[in-house]
Amino acid sequence: MSNFQVKRSDEDQLSSLRVAGFLDAHTAPILEREIQKLLDEGRFQILVDFADLGYISSAGLGVFMGFIEQIRTNGGDIKMCRMNTKIYRVFDLLGFPTLYDIVDDLETAREKFFQTSLNKGSQDNQK
Amino acid sequence: MSNFQVKRSDEDQLSSLRVAGFLDAHTAPILEREIQKLLDEGRFQILVDFADLGYISSAGLGVFMGFIEQIRTNGGDIKMCRMNTKIYRVFDLLGFPTLYDIVDDLETAREKFFQTSLNKGSQDNQK
Amino acid sequence: MVKSKTEYKLRIPSQTENLELIRAFVGLVANKVGFSEDDIGKIELATDEACTNVIKHAYDPKDQKALDVAIQIDYQKFTVLVTDHGKGFHPDEIKIPDMKEYLAELRVGGLGIYLMRTLMDEVDYKIRPGLSNQVRMVKYFIDKDDSQLVQKRDRK
Amino acid sequence: MVKSKTEYKLRIPSQTENLELIRAFVGLVANKVGFSEDDIGKIELATDEACTNVIKHAYDPKDQKALDVAIQIDYQKFTVLVTDHGKGFHPDEIKIPDMKEYLAELRVGGLGIYLMRTLMDEVDYKIRPGLSNQVRMVKYFIDKDDSQLVQKRDRK
Ligand SMILES: Nc1ncnc2c1ncn2[C@@H]1O[C@H](COP(=O)(O)OP(=O)(O)O)[C@@H](O)[C@H]1O
Ligand SMILES: Nc1ncnc2c1ncn2[C@@H]1O[C@H](COP(=O)(O)OP(=O)(O)O)[C@@H](O)[C@H]1O
């Protein structure tokens, strides 16, 4: 009955989480569990696709803040893309764009990961 | 700010009203005015297209009941089409399908008008 | 899924422009407890009809007061209470229309209470004129159509 | 368009699953009085943050009580009142974060009140522990960004 979903898809080292619906204090634990699972599997390159997200509150922002340190310590990152203007405004209001890469489309977001992981032997530069 | 609209289009003697949004006690007067205007212009062949209507209450049904006698006395009719199942259920619950022609698509509704107006010299049977 | 007894209350000005908000309120709560789209639609419509009656009949038009909608949820049923503080009326004297006659005579109006009774499992009134007038509408979580509840639904 | 003084009230169980309903409630009323999509979004978010705080902080988790959201509308402003009957707190002791430091230190939480103050024109608390704790958030119909109201918005 919850109006929030996460759809995960893995592609080499990169895991994408496509979030949909409302991300608030009620649904934030769903996203939290999904990210925790990635970290448990040793996957630290995380792309969050906001294309279908309609709402975010500080409880949703808190999920990203709660993991970012551990992820970066492990050489990973959270990058974000496809936010509608309403969602972006909340991130922007709090200065989050200085801390996270937030880009328009999926392709740019992927490229940003490949750039950063080049020196770790990226074999995924075909496209 | 009201979540109800009526779009009228005339085609020979037939006037179509395309209703959209919520038809309740707040918005019923809008539809009432639109139908009154048709009658004032002597237009009694009225096709109501429900394709974009999301909700109807008894106040909406009352609009049709309020005019049907006058319309039929003047040789006209209200015919209805393209109701979604939720809207149709309300009409059905009250037995309205015995009183009104309610059909699936615009074409069938138009044909029903042309059938009835044949003996009044319909010159509009080209299509 | 549903807590033992939960209550949701809405108090708003008695104006038709608030019907949309009322439907959203009952619709969201009905959705939360797991009713089907179909049942949600019925609850929204029955509540709209009860509130439309308050807005149209309970108060002097130039003296619009508050309208209360409460939802009570227990393990077996969803109850909507619509309360006004207006002049009241005699529910027993309201003739529920015979729809065949109604349509044959091209009557207008008088469908609200009929719809409420048709859409919900139980509908009853508690009238205390000037104090509070309340209609109580119940929908059970399990459809009891073929149990003893049918008699309640079918009363005139 | 707006009546002289109008009030809308919602009372619901203090649970995160009701945040969606709360947002729909304030959003529909804010839409009705003519706010832009942008302002509606701000009012919804600020109200969500205030209610999330009640749900998370006001009551003992095993003793969830009611949460009240009221909207008052007069000719010049839209006021949201969120009231709980929980333990209360000292709003003056809550440090509003400096976002530069916050982000540099990768802190977590503590953004709710900051957001409320950023999104609304006025935010203040009336705390009476055990009785009622109320946050009052105001949005003016005319954006007074370049008037004397800015000082209120910018206070720490
Ligand atoms: N809350 C109320 N306060 C006063 N009278 C009411 C109320 N609800 C219903 N009534 C009375 O019951 C009658 C029947 O209501 P209803 O079946 O909804 O049809 P309608 O509202 O179209 O007349 C109304 O005409 C009114 O006289
Ligand atoms: N209604 C409330 N009842 C009790 N304490 C509250 C309430 N609202 C806010 N607080 C206190 O204010 C603090 C700051 O709130 P906020 O800025 O929203 O951040 P967070 O909720 O993430 O801690 C909370 O941690 C809590 O201690």
Side-chain angles (χ1 to χ4, degrees), chain D residues 49-50 53-54 56-58 84 87-89 94 109-114 125 133:
Chain D
E49 297 294 341
N53 277 348
V54 171
K56 286 196 311 185
H57 306 298
D84 68 66
K87 64 170 190 275
F89 70 113
I94 304 293
L111 294 178
I113 297 180
Y114 176 86
Y125 281 90
N133 311 296

PDB file of all heavy atoms in Angstrom, chain D residues 49-50 53-54 56-58 84 87-89 94 109-114 125 133, ligand 2:
ATOM      1  N   GLU D  49       7.444  18.389   7.624  1.00  0.00           N
ATOM      2  CA  GLU D  49       8.564  18.422   8.570  1.00  0.00           C
ATOM      3  C   GLU D  49       8.070  18.630  10.000  1.00  0.00           C
ATOM      4  O   GLU D  49       8.549  17.974  10.938  1.00  0.00           O
ATOM      5  CB  GLU D  49       9.549  19.532   8.187  1.00  0.00           C
ATOM      6  CG  GLU D  49      10.224  19.360   6.818  1.00  0.00           C
ATOM      7  CD  GLU D  49      11.152  18.149   6.745  1.00  0.00           C
ATOM      8  OE1 GLU D  49      11.569  17.650   7.806  1.00  0.00           O
ATOM      9  OE2 GLU D  49      11.456  17.689   5.619  1.00  0.00           O
ATOM     10  N   ALA D  50       7.115  19.532  10.182  1.00  0.00           N
ATOM     11  CA  ALA D  50       6.574  19.789  11.524  1.00  0.00           C
ATOM     12  C   ALA D  50       5.883  18.536  12.064  1.00  0.00           C
ATOM     13  O   ALA D  50       6.040  18.189  13.240  1.00  0.00           O
ATOM     14  CB  ALA D  50       5.595  20.962  11.484  1.00  0.00           C
ATOM     15  N   ASN D  53       8.287  15.719  12.989  1.00  0.00           N
ATOM     16  CA  ASN D  53       8.874  15.969  14.309  1.00  0.00           C
ATOM     17  C   ASN D  53       7.948  15.517  15.437  1.00  0.00           C
ATOM     18  O   ASN D  53       8.406  14.929  16.419  1.00  0.00           O
ATOM     19  CB  ASN D  53       9.213  17.459  14.473  1.00  0.00           C
ATOM     20  CG  ASN D  53      10.564  17.781  13.848  1.00  0.00           C
ATOM     21  OD1 ASN D  53      11.331  16.879  13.503  1.00  0.00           O
ATOM     22  ND2 ASN D  53      10.852  19.057  13.688  1.00  0.00           N
ATOM     23  N   VAL D  54       6.659  15.794  15.290  1.00  0.00           N
ATOM     24  CA  VAL D  54       5.709  15.330  16.309  1.00  0.00           C
ATOM     25  C   VAL D  54       5.746  13.809  16.392  1.00  0.00           C
ATOM     26  O   VAL D  54       5.865  13.223  17.467  1.00  0.00           O
ATOM     27  CB  VAL D  54       4.279  15.808  15.981  1.00  0.00           C
ATOM     28  CG1 VAL D  54       3.268  15.137  16.909  1.00  0.00           C
ATOM     29  CG2 VAL D  54       4.179  17.325  16.090  1.00  0.00           C
ATOM     30  N   LYS D  56       8.056  11.723  15.458  1.00  0.00           N
ATOM     31  CA  LYS D  56       9.322  11.154  15.918  1.00  0.00           C
ATOM     32  C   LYS D  56       9.661  11.528  17.359  1.00  0.00           C
ATOM     33  O   LYS D  56      10.270  10.741  18.078  1.00  0.00           O
ATOM     34  CB  LYS D  56      10.483  11.628  15.020  1.00  0.00           C
ATOM     35  CG  LYS D  56      10.512  10.969  13.652  1.00  0.00           C
ATOM     36  CD  LYS D  56      11.870  11.169  12.974  1.00  0.00           C
ATOM     37  CE  LYS D  56      12.312  12.639  13.010  1.00  0.00           C
ATOM     38  NZ  LYS D  56      13.555  12.867  12.256  1.00  0.00           N
ATOM     39  N   HIS D  57       9.310  12.751  17.775  1.00  0.00           N
ATOM     40  CA  HIS D  57       9.848  13.254  19.036  1.00  0.00           C
ATOM     41  C   HIS D  57       8.834  13.503  20.144  1.00  0.00           C
ATOM     42  O   HIS D  57       9.215  13.539  21.308  1.00  0.00           O
ATOM     43  CB  HIS D  57      10.610  14.564  18.797  1.00  0.00           C
ATOM     44  CG  HIS D  57      11.678  14.485  17.766  1.00  0.00           C
ATOM     45  ND1 HIS D  57      12.772  13.650  17.894  1.00  0.00           N
ATOM     46  CD2 HIS D  57      11.830  15.116  16.575  1.00  0.00           C
ATOM     47  CE1 HIS D  57      13.552  13.786  16.833  1.00  0.00           C
ATOM     48  NE2 HIS D  57      13.005  14.663  16.005  1.00  0.00           N
ATOM     49  N   ALA D  58       7.551  13.719  19.805  1.00  0.00           N
ATOM     50  CA  ALA D  58       6.638  14.239  20.833  1.00  0.00           C
ATOM     51  C   ALA D  58       6.189  13.181  21.831  1.00  0.00           C
ATOM     52  O   ALA D  58       6.062  13.457  23.025  1.00  0.00           O
ATOM     53  CB  ALA D  58       5.422  14.896  20.177  1.00  0.00           C
ATOM     54  N   ASP D  84       0.875  19.126  19.135  1.00  0.00           N
ATOM     55  CA  ASP D  84       0.914  17.817  19.778  1.00  0.00           C
ATOM     56  C   ASP D  84       0.670  18.002  21.271  1.00  0.00           C
ATOM     57  O   ASP D  84       0.644  19.125  21.784  1.00  0.00           O
ATOM     58  CB  ASP D  84       2.254  17.119  19.512  1.00  0.00           C
ATOM     59  CG  ASP D  84       3.434  17.788  20.196  1.00  0.00           C
ATOM     60  OD1 ASP D  84       3.485  17.783  21.448  1.00  0.00           O
ATOM     61  OD2 ASP D  84       4.315  18.313  19.486  1.00  0.00           O
ATOM     62  N   LYS D  87       5.712  15.613  25.096  1.00  0.00           N
ATOM     63  CA  LYS D  87       6.605  16.075  26.148  1.00  0.00           C
ATOM     64  C   LYS D  87       7.154  17.480  25.944  1.00  0.00           C
ATOM     65  O   LYS D  87       7.645  18.090  26.898  1.00  0.00           O
ATOM     66  CB  LYS D  87       7.745  15.063  26.325  1.00  0.00           C
ATOM     67  CG  LYS D  87       8.670  14.904  25.115  1.00  0.00           C
ATOM     68  CD  LYS D  87       9.884  14.057  25.534  1.00  0.00           C
ATOM     69  CE  LYS D  87      10.956  14.063  24.475  1.00  0.00           C
ATOM     70  NZ  LYS D  87      10.757  13.065  23.431  1.00  0.00           N
ATOM     71  N   GLY D  88       7.076  18.002  24.723  1.00  0.00           N
ATOM     72  CA  GLY D  88       7.588  19.349  24.496  1.00  0.00           C
ATOM     73  C   GLY D  88       9.099  19.403  24.415  1.00  0.00           C
ATOM     74  O   GLY D  88       9.786  18.379  24.584  1.00  0.00           O
ATOM     75  N   PHE D  89       9.645  20.575  24.126  1.00  0.00           N
ATOM     76  CA  PHE D  89      11.099  20.744  24.018  1.00  0.00           C
ATOM     77  C   PHE D  89      11.396  22.238  24.093  1.00  0.00           C
ATOM     78  O   PHE D  89      10.496  23.056  24.233  1.00  0.00           O
ATOM     79  CB  PHE D  89      11.619  20.106  22.731  1.00  0.00           C
ATOM     80  CG  PHE D  89      11.213  20.829  21.473  1.00  0.00           C
ATOM     81  CD1 PHE D  89      12.167  21.477  20.676  1.00  0.00           C
ATOM     82  CD2 PHE D  89       9.887  20.868  21.062  1.00  0.00           C
ATOM     83  CE1 PHE D  89      11.798  22.138  19.517  1.00  0.00           C
ATOM     84  CE2 PHE D  89       9.522  21.529  19.895  1.00  0.00           C
ATOM     85  CZ  PHE D  89      10.475  22.163  19.131  1.00  0.00           C
ATOM     86  N   ILE D  94      17.497  24.624  20.218  1.00  0.00           N
ATOM     87  CA  ILE D  94      17.771  23.877  18.983  1.00  0.00           C
ATOM     88  C   ILE D  94      18.685  24.724  18.105  1.00  0.00           C
ATOM     89  O   ILE D  94      18.342  25.844  17.732  1.00  0.00           O
ATOM     90  CB  ILE D  94      16.468  23.583  18.213  1.00  0.00           C
ATOM     91  CG1 ILE D  94      15.457  22.837  19.096  1.00  0.00           C
ATOM     92  CG2 ILE D  94      16.770  22.805  16.930  1.00  0.00           C
ATOM     93  CD1 ILE D  94      15.843  21.443  19.479  1.00  0.00           C
ATOM     94  N   GLY D 109      20.472  14.311   9.865  1.00  0.00           N
ATOM     95  CA  GLY D 109      19.336  14.769  10.672  1.00  0.00           C
ATOM     96  C   GLY D 109      19.454  16.241  11.025  1.00  0.00           C
ATOM     97  O   GLY D 109      20.400  16.934  10.629  1.00  0.00           O
ATOM     98  N   GLY D 110      18.454  16.721  11.762  1.00  0.00           N
ATOM     99  CA  GLY D 110      18.489  18.109  12.206  1.00  0.00           C
ATOM    100  C   GLY D 110      18.201  19.132  11.119  1.00  0.00           C
ATOM    101  O   GLY D 110      18.536  20.303  11.250  1.00  0.00           O
ATOM    102  N   LEU D 111      17.558  18.704  10.011  1.00  0.00           N
ATOM    103  CA  LEU D 111      17.262  19.645   8.929  1.00  0.00           C
ATOM    104  C   LEU D 111      15.818  20.153   8.952  1.00  0.00           C
ATOM    105  O   LEU D 111      15.483  21.124   8.271  1.00  0.00           O
ATOM    106  CB  LEU D 111      17.518  18.988   7.567  1.00  0.00           C
ATOM    107  CG  LEU D 111      18.965  18.629   7.242  1.00  0.00           C
ATOM    108  CD1 LEU D 111      19.046  17.945   5.892  1.00  0.00           C
ATOM    109  CD2 LEU D 111      19.840  19.879   7.267  1.00  0.00           C
ATOM    110  N   GLY D 112      14.957  19.504   9.752  1.00  0.00           N
ATOM    111  CA  GLY D 112      13.529  19.802   9.692  1.00  0.00           C
ATOM    112  C   GLY D 112      13.184  21.247  10.004  1.00  0.00           C
ATOM    113  O   GLY D 112      12.546  21.942   9.202  1.00  0.00           O
ATOM    114  N   ILE D 113      13.614  21.716  11.166  1.00  0.00           N
ATOM    115  CA  ILE D 113      13.260  23.088  11.568  1.00  0.00           C
ATOM    116  C   ILE D 113      13.924  24.094  10.633  1.00  0.00           C
ATOM    117  O   ILE D 113      13.326  25.103  10.257  1.00  0.00           O
ATOM    118  CB  ILE D 113      13.618  23.323  13.050  1.00  0.00           C
ATOM    119  CG1 ILE D 113      12.787  22.375  13.927  1.00  0.00           C
ATOM    120  CG2 ILE D 113      13.370  24.769  13.441  1.00  0.00           C
ATOM    121  CD1 ILE D 113      13.038  22.490  15.427  1.00  0.00           C
ATOM    122  N   TYR D 114      15.153  23.793  10.212  1.00  0.00           N
ATOM    123  CA  TYR D 114      15.837  24.668   9.246  1.00  0.00           C
ATOM    124  C   TYR D 114      14.995  24.818   7.978  1.00  0.00           C
ATOM    125  O   TYR D 114      14.774  25.923   7.487  1.00  0.00           O
ATOM    126  CB  TYR D 114      17.216  24.083   8.912  1.00  0.00           C
ATOM    127  CG  TYR D 114      17.965  24.859   7.858  1.00  0.00           C
ATOM    128  CD1 TYR D 114      18.757  25.954   8.203  1.00  0.00           C
ATOM    129  CD2 TYR D 114      17.878  24.511   6.510  1.00  0.00           C
ATOM    130  CE1 TYR D 114      19.430  26.678   7.240  1.00  0.00           C
ATOM    131  CE2 TYR D 114      18.550  25.225   5.533  1.00  0.00           C
ATOM    132  CZ  TYR D 114      19.325  26.304   5.897  1.00  0.00           C
ATOM    133  OH  TYR D 114      19.991  27.018   4.934  1.00  0.00           O
ATOM    134  N   TYR D 125       7.154  28.846  17.896  1.00  0.00           N
ATOM    135  CA  TYR D 125       6.682  27.748  18.743  1.00  0.00           C
ATOM    136  C   TYR D 125       6.025  28.281  20.015  1.00  0.00           C
ATOM    137  O   TYR D 125       6.461  29.298  20.559  1.00  0.00           O
ATOM    138  CB  TYR D 125       7.867  26.868  19.149  1.00  0.00           C
ATOM    139  CG  TYR D 125       8.301  25.898  18.074  1.00  0.00           C
ATOM    140  CD1 TYR D 125       9.263  26.251  17.131  1.00  0.00           C
ATOM    141  CD2 TYR D 125       7.751  24.622  18.014  1.00  0.00           C
ATOM    142  CE1 TYR D 125       9.658  25.360  16.136  1.00  0.00           C
ATOM    143  CE2 TYR D 125       8.150  23.725  17.031  1.00  0.00           C
ATOM    144  CZ  TYR D 125       9.090  24.101  16.100  1.00  0.00           C
ATOM    145  OH  TYR D 125       9.483  23.211  15.139  1.00  0.00           O
ATOM    146  N   ASN D 133       1.922  21.518  22.536  1.00  0.00           N
ATOM    147  CA  ASN D 133       3.086  22.142  21.916  1.00  0.00           C
ATOM    148  C   ASN D 133       2.695  22.451  20.493  1.00  0.00           C
ATOM    149  O   ASN D 133       2.234  21.578  19.768  1.00  0.00           O
ATOM    150  CB  ASN D 133       4.272  21.186  21.944  1.00  0.00           C
ATOM    151  CG  ASN D 133       4.460  20.610  23.330  1.00  0.00           C
ATOM    152  OD1 ASN D 133       4.742  21.335  24.258  1.00  0.00           O
ATOM    153  ND2 ASN D 133       4.242  19.313  23.461  1.00  0.00           N
TER     154      ASN D 133
HETATM  155  N1  LIG E   2       7.055  18.431  18.365  1.00  0.00           N
HETATM  156  C1  LIG E   2       8.236  18.171  18.968  1.00  0.00           C
HETATM  157  N2  LIG E   2       8.261  17.550  20.176  1.00  0.00           N
HETATM  158  C2  LIG E   2       9.421  17.288  20.803  1.00  0.00           C
HETATM  159  N3  LIG E   2      10.630  17.640  20.298  1.00  0.00           N
HETATM  160  C3  LIG E   2      10.685  18.257  19.095  1.00  0.00           C
HETATM  161  C4  LIG E   2       9.513  18.562  18.374  1.00  0.00           C
HETATM  162  N4  LIG E   2       9.864  19.197  17.238  1.00  0.00           N
HETATM  163  C5  LIG E   2      11.206  19.286  17.241  1.00  0.00           C
HETATM  164  N5  LIG E   2      11.739  18.731  18.365  1.00  0.00           N
HETATM  165  C6  LIG E   2      13.161  18.676  18.746  1.00  0.00           C
HETATM  166  O1  LIG E   2      13.882  19.525  17.839  1.00  0.00           O
HETATM  167  C7  LIG E   2      14.986  18.808  17.285  1.00  0.00           C
HETATM  168  C8  LIG E   2      15.327  19.347  15.899  1.00  0.00           C
HETATM  169  O2  LIG E   2      14.303  19.010  14.956  1.00  0.00           O
HETATM  170  P1  LIG E   2      14.633  18.958  13.402  1.00  0.00           P
HETATM  171  O3  LIG E   2      15.353  20.207  13.040  1.00  0.00           O
HETATM  172  O4  LIG E   2      13.377  18.721  12.687  1.00  0.00           O
HETATM  173  O5  LIG E   2      15.637  17.759  13.182  1.00  0.00           O
HETATM  174  P2  LIG E   2      15.493  16.198  13.531  1.00  0.00           P
HETATM  175  O6  LIG E   2      14.050  15.904  13.703  1.00  0.00           O
HETATM  176  O7  LIG E   2      16.103  15.509  12.353  1.00  0.00           O
HETATM  177  O8  LIG E   2      16.300  15.998  14.792  1.00  0.00           O
HETATM  178  C9  LIG E   2      14.566  17.368  17.314  1.00  0.00           C
HETATM  179  O9  LIG E   2      15.672  16.504  17.313  1.00  0.00           O
HETATM  180  C10 LIG E   2      13.765  17.292  18.624  1.00  0.00           C
HETATM  181  O10 LIG E   2      14.636  17.115  19.723  1.00  0.00           O
END
